[in-house]
């Protein structure tokens, strides 16, 4: 399993968020998120936005903690990074 999570450092809606991604496949990512009850509406192009209070639960379920830079680098290396359209 290659599901990754970065620290909760993205601010939005009055809270901090982590990004949950897979450097193997979107199918793996969606299956992992479903197993934890993360709503599909949290999916944004190539990752799920996860509130900070879920961080420890997601790591305990098997997600690998990585820095935000490493998460993006691994998505790019795997060809799974989807940028916002301009």
């Amino acid at each position: 399993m290659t599901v990754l999570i970065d620290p909760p450092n993205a601010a939005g809606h009055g809270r901090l968020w982590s990004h949950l991604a897979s450097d193997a496949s979107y199918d793996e990512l969606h299956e992992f998120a479903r197993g934890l009850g993360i709503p599909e509406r949290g999916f944004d192009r190539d990752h799920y936005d996860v509130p900070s209070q879920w961080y420890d639960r997601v790591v305990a379920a098997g997600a690998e903690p990585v820095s935000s830079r490493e998460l993006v680098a691994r998505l790019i290396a795997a060809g799974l990074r989807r940028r916002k359209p301009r």
Side-chain angles (χ1 to χ4, degrees), residues 28-49:
E28 175 184 59
L29 175 60
H30 295 307
E31 182 178 331
F32 186 86
R34 271 192 305 274
L36 286 171
I38 298 171
E40 284 190 37
R41 69 180 178 274
F43 185 70
D44 184 17
R45 297 178 321 278
D46 55 13
H47 68 276
Y48 281 88
D49 293 319

Side-chain angles (χ1 to χ4, degrees), residues 1-6 19-26 28 46-47 62-82:
M1 182 175 293
T2 54
V3 176
L4 315 167
I5 190 165
D6 67 359
H19 302 103
L20 181 68
S22 168
D23 67 358
S25 74
Y26 296 119
E28 175 184 59
D46 55 13
H47 68 276
E64 178 184 344
V66 296
S67 70
S68 298
R69 285 181 185 233
E70 183 175 350
L71 187 142
V72 171
R74 288 174 66 173
L75 282 176
I76 291 169
L80 296 171
R81 179 72 168 149
R82 292 183 181 161

